[in-house]
């Protein structure tokens, strides 16, 4: 695109390959952008809440994903429209920062854009709409601070944390086992948490999954789980007081880096070559043995000769261990990663209470458990499931629950779910709008209407009348001055979310409203779009 001036000094734009491009300006551009973003938002609305529907997505490779996680759905969708991609990035940023609430943030952004379109049709300028939304967002954040409650917990008493994690898991496929998985997640977080700094390093929690069994068979392993088996079937299956040699060099003879040619024209020469190779392997295995190691983990493969020698020396060996697992084992066992056999020494060995190979079912699958590591701040959540889809969804659900608990370690304040906090914020924003003069009050009122989209979607997905439910809840919150009243999605007969134990973190809810508002302001500021014809349709 080039800006040119004619002989009178008037500017005009020259586009490269003009016949293949389309330009949309002004309100038409804003409406086009809003329509693209709302299409994605409507797709996710039916997945919100404990009664939300799942989506089945098939990749180009034929892999099938079944999930109701907002970030995963949008990531798997092949989105081409540039503005619609902003919604994908919105869900991803919520997932990266908070880990939960990805569906809610997209639904809220879609509702805000819908209300913005109504204001644009009334002739209100996009800048005024953005300013009004900004003020309403500040009111929401203040109201959330007011209605939040602080929960107390420690390593022996963490029932409130269990309730918060169960709230996250209740909308997933794994909701039948939500209590068991919630407790596993909390114990994992407590194992690695730094309570003084109020921080949790999730890299120290490995989530490993294996198809087979049921979700009830899932366990928390105080150590590392490797999806490998021992390299020789007759090697020891259990090693107590393990001293682990962690290698990133292969058990193979050295290979010259230059081009070479070796002619063997007699039996004696061949035997000499074989003997030299055997000596080389014996030297490598002897170095490992002399260091005091009784377990060998190698990032590369073993030659058959080396594998046999390791077995003869009574060592438990595992080959082809991934780079990420090698680093995690080194952190967990306080071992050093050894790049050359000449550097093997006792000081560099990792230590663990027990290393054992575990057989799974009748499928001849094996995994390696490295338990009671020197660094107790490294654990593995080992998940089982009847199918690959179930196991993958369980991993996503556990990730969300881990993030929820981590957020409560950082900030112990919670708000109540079921749309109760959105209704409380909506009422506060409507009351604030009465005090604002000028055009901005229309934008503030529309922001309040957009907040109602969350409880409305929850009611619709639960088979309730959204209008009747929302009206009754607003009236009840105003009358009783109780911000805990929300949608009874599970039909338990109570609107009080405290009684139903529906907890959400304050961090997550504030982040949702802030991110959705920022995205809407960004889309409203785009008034000129130039691009390929296909991309704008």
């Amino acid at each position: 695109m080039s800006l040119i001036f004619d002989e009178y000094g008037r500017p005009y734009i020259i586009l490269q390959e003009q016949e293949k491009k389309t330009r949309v300006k002004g309100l038409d551009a804003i409406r086009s952008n809003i329509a693209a973003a709302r299409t994605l938002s409507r797709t996710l609305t039916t997945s919100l809440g404990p009664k939300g529907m799942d989506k089945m997505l098939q990749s180009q490779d034929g892999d099938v994903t079944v999930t109701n996680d907002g970030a995963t759905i949008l990531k798997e969708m092949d989105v081409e429209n540039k503005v619609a991609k902003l919604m994908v990035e919105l869900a991803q940023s919520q997932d990266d920062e908070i880990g939960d609430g990805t569906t809610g943030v997209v639904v809220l952004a879609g509702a805000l854009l819908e209300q913005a379109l109504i204001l644009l049709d009334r002739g209100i300028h996009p800048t005024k709409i953005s300013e009004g939304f900004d003020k309403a967002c500040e009111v929401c954040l203040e109201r959330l601070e007011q209605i939040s409650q602080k929960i107390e917990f420690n390593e022996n008493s963490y029932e409130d944390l269990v309730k918060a994690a169960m709230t996250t898991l209740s909308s997933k496929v794994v909701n039948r086992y939500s209590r068991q998985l919630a407790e596993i997640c909390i114990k994992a977080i407590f194992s690695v948490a730094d309570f003084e700094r109020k921080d949790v390093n999730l890299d120290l929690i490995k989530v490993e999954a294996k198809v087979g069994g049921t979700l009830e068979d899932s366990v928390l392993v105080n150590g590392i789980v490797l999806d490998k088996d021992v390299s020789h079937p007759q090697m020891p299956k259990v090693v107590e007081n393990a001293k682990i040699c962690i290698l990133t060099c292969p058990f193979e003879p050295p290979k010259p880096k230059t081009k070479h040619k070796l002619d063997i024209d007699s039996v004696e020469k061949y035997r000499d070559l074989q003997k030299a190779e055997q000596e080389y392997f014996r030297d490598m295995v002897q170095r490992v043995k002399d260091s005091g190691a009784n377990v060998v983990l190698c990032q590369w493969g073993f030659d058959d000769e080396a594998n046999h020698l390791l077995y003869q020396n009574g060592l438990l060996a595992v080959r082809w261990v991934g780079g990420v697992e090698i680093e995690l084992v080194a952190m967990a066992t306080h071992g050093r990663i050894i790049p050359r056999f000449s550097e093997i020494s006792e000081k560099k060995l990792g230590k663990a209470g027990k290393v054992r190979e575990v057989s799974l079912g009748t499928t001849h699958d094996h995994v390696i458990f490295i338990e009671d590591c020197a660094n107790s701040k490294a654990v593995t959540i080992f998940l089982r499931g009847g199918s690959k889809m179930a196991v993958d969804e369980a991993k996503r659900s556990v990730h969300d629950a881990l993030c929820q608990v981590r957020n409560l370690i950082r900030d112990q304040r919670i708000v109540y779910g079921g749309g109760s906090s959105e209704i409380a914020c909506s009422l506060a924003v409507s009351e604030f709008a009465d005090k604002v003069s000028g055009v901005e009050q229309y934008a503030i009122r529309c922001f309040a209407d957009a907040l109602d989209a969350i409880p409305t979607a929850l009611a619709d997905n639960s088979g309730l009348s959204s209008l009747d439910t929302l009206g009754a809840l607003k009236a009840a919150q105003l009358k009783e001055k109780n911000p805990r009243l929300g949608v009874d999605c599970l039909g338990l007969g109570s609107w009080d979310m405290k009684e139903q134990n529906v907890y959400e973190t304050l961090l997550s809810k504030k982040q949702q409203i802030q991110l959705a508002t920022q995205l809407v302001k960004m889309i409203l500021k785009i008034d000129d779009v130039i691009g390929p014809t296909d991309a704008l349709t």
Side-chain angles (χ1 to χ4, degrees):
M1 184 175 74
S2 302
L3 183 65
I4 308 294
F5 296 89
D6 62 12
E7 63 271 20
Y8 299 106
R10 292 175 298 197
Y12 62 94
I13 293 173
I14 294 180
L15 298 177
Q16 191 175 2
E17 297 180 344
Q18 294 186 60
E19 68 280 359
K20 296 182 182 178
K21 295 192 176 182
T22 304
R23 184 180 184 190
V24 185
K25 296 191 295 182
L27 288 178
D28 289 337
I30 297 175
R31 286 193 178 94
S32 172
N33 294 338
I34 290 175
R38 281 175 59 201
T39 303
L40 275 187
S41 173
R42 282 197 293 267
T43 304
L44 291 190
T45 301
T46 54
S47 295
L48 188 67
K51 298 290 186 181
M53 308 298 283
D54 290 349
K55 302 286 186 285
M56 179 181 284
L57 303 107
Q58 184 174 0
S59 69
Q60 293 178 347
D61 300 331
D63 295 333
V64 176
T65 302
V66 179
T67 182
N68 67 351
D69 180 65
T72 306
I73 293 170
L74 294 181
K75 190 162 53 177
E76 294 291 330
M77 291 173 69
D78 188 14
V79 179
E80 293 186 358
N81 186 282
K82 300 300 180 187
V83 175
K85 281 184 178 179
L86 292 176
M87 296 290 272
V88 179
E89 292 171 7
L90 170 71
Q92 195 60 50
S93 61
Q94 175 77 10
D95 194 42
D96 293 342
E97 186 68 24
I98 300 297
D100 191 27
T102 52
T103 307
V105 71
V106 175
V107 172
L108 180 58
L112 286 170
L113 288 170
E114 197 169 334
Q115 294 297 324
L117 192 60
I118 295 171
L119 294 170
L120 289 171
D121 290 338
R122 291 181 183 175
I124 298 176
H125 196 275
T127 304
K128 291 294 183 183
I129 298 173
S130 298
E131 291 173 0
F133 281 2
D134 246 351
K135 291 181 179 179
C137 180
E138 290 175 10
V139 174
C140 283
L141 298 181
E142 289 176 10
R143 182 58 176 158
L144 287 173
E145 295 272 355
Q146 292 169 5
I147 65 175
S148 65
Q149 291 186 8
K150 189 175 182 180
I151 60 172
E152 300 294 338
F153 55 84
N154 55 51
E155 292 187 22
N156 300 317
S157 175
Y158 47 77
E159 185 61 27
D160 285 336
L161 280 181
V162 172
K163 293 173 183 175
M166 286 176 66
T167 300
T168 301
L169 296 168
S170 66
S171 63
K172 312 293 183 184
V173 174
V174 299
N175 58 354
R176 281 184 58 199
Y177 309 99
S178 58
R179 177 90 195 184
Q180 177 189 352
L181 291 177
E183 290 183 354
I184 287 175
C185 291
I186 291 163
K187 289 174 183 175
I189 290 286
F190 279 176
S191 299
V192 304
D194 184 343
F195 288 101
E196 290 183 8
R197 294 173 52 236
K198 292 190 173 182
D199 191 29
V200 178
N201 184 3
L202 291 181
D203 291 337
L204 294 173
I205 302 175
K206 184 185 177 192
V207 182
E208 188 69 46
K210 197 78 172 173
V211 176
T214 66
L215 279 167
E216 285 179 328
D217 301 328
S218 301
V219 293
L220 176 67
V221 179
N222 184 25
I224 307 297
V225 176
L226 301 177
D227 189 9
K228 301 289 177 185
D229 52 6
V230 295
S231 60
H232 194 290
Q234 291 178 293
M235 282 181 175
K237 305 298 182 186
V238 180
V239 175
E240 302 278 353
N241 298 319
K243 295 181 179 179
I244 305 170
C245 182
I246 306 168
L247 297 170
T248 56
C249 48
F251 273 92
E252 293 176 355
K255 297 175 182 176
K257 294 182 180 179
T258 57
K259 290 183 178 180
H260 59 282
K261 182 180 179 183
L262 183 63
D263 292 325
I264 300 174
D265 52 12
S266 67
V267 175
E268 288 76 15
K269 287 184 179 180
Y270 181 80
R271 284 176 179 166
D272 289 343
L273 181 66
Q274 186 183 27
K275 186 178 179 181
E277 191 174 280
Q278 286 176 343
E279 284 297 324
Y280 190 79
F281 284 133
R282 284 196 187 96
D283 180 57
M284 287 192 294
V285 175
Q286 194 59 43
R287 284 177 183 269
V288 174
K289 190 77 175 172
D290 291 344
S291 69
N294 50 17
V295 176
V296 179
L297 300 183
C298 184
Q299 191 175 8
W300 302 100
F302 298 162
D303 190 281
D304 288 342
E305 182 75 27
N307 201 20
H308 181 68
L309 288 170
L310 287 166
Y311 155 64
Q312 282 189 327
N313 283 272
L315 298 171
L316 187 155
V318 184
R319 54 186 164 187
W320 300 117
V321 181
V324 176
E325 283 84 1
I326 283 279
E327 292 177 6
L328 203 55
V329 170
M331 283 193 293
T333 61
H334 285 164
R336 296 281 296 276
I337 297 174
I338 303 170
R340 284 179 290 275
F341 283 96
S342 59
E343 296 182 16
I344 296 176
S345 67
E346 187 177 358
K347 292 180 181 179
K348 295 183 178 180
L349 300 181
K351 294 178 176 59
K354 182 190 288 186
V355 175
R356 59 192 175 103
E357 184 186 64
V358 179
S359 300
L360 303 175
T362 59
T363 58
H364 304 293
D365 281 341
H366 301 90
V367 292
I368 303 292
F369 280 26
I370 304 174
E371 299 174 302
D372 302 326
C373 300
N375 177 14
S376 60
K377 288 193 170 186
V379 295
T380 302
I381 298 174
F382 187 54
L383 299 172
R384 305 299 309 282
S387 67
K388 187 176 184 303
M389 286 187 289
V391 164
D392 289 344
E393 182 65 4
K395 284 183 75 172
R396 286 188 286 267
S397 304
V398 165
H399 170 263
D400 288 355
L402 287 171
C403 292
Q404 184 87 326
V405 179
R406 178 198 62 183
N407 294 335
L408 284 171
I409 299 288
R410 290 178 174 174
D411 187 343
Q412 294 176 241
R413 291 174 296 174
I414 57 138
V415 293
Y416 293 95
S420 60
S421 53
E422 282 85 358
I423 293 173
C425 289
S426 175
L427 294 171
V429 171
S430 297
E431 185 180 343
F432 173 73
D434 295 334
K435 304 172 185 176
V436 177
S437 58
V439 179
E440 290 172 3
Q441 68 170 294
Y442 293 103
I444 295 171
R445 290 189 194 283
C446 283
F447 193 99
D449 292 339
L451 289 169
D452 294 339
I454 300 293
T456 298
L458 289 172
D460 284 336
N461 295 343
S462 303
L464 306 172
S465 170
S466 55
L467 286 175
D468 293 345
T469 304
L470 185 60
L473 283 171
K474 281 192 169 184
Q477 279 208 18
L478 283 171
K479 183 179 178 182
E480 300 176 24
K481 305 292 185 187
N482 183 359
R484 301 192 302 268
L485 302 181
V487 180
D488 181 17
C489 298
L490 301 177
L492 299 179
S494 171
W495 283 349
D496 195 326
M497 293 297 108
K498 188 174 184 179
E499 293 179 11
Q500 293 201 22
N501 299 322
V502 183
Y503 295 178
E504 292 188 59
T505 62
L506 177 64
L507 279 176
S508 174
K509 194 59 68 177
K510 288 171 70 175
Q511 185 85 358
Q512 280 186 37
I513 293 174
Q514 286 175 313
L515 286 178
T517 306
Q518 289 169 10
L519 178 77
V520 171
K521 286 169 59 184
M522 185 190 301
I523 292 175
L524 288 176
K525 286 179 74 71
I526 302 170
D527 72 338
D528 200 342
V529 182
I530 301 171
T533 303
D534 294 342
L536 297 179
T537 56

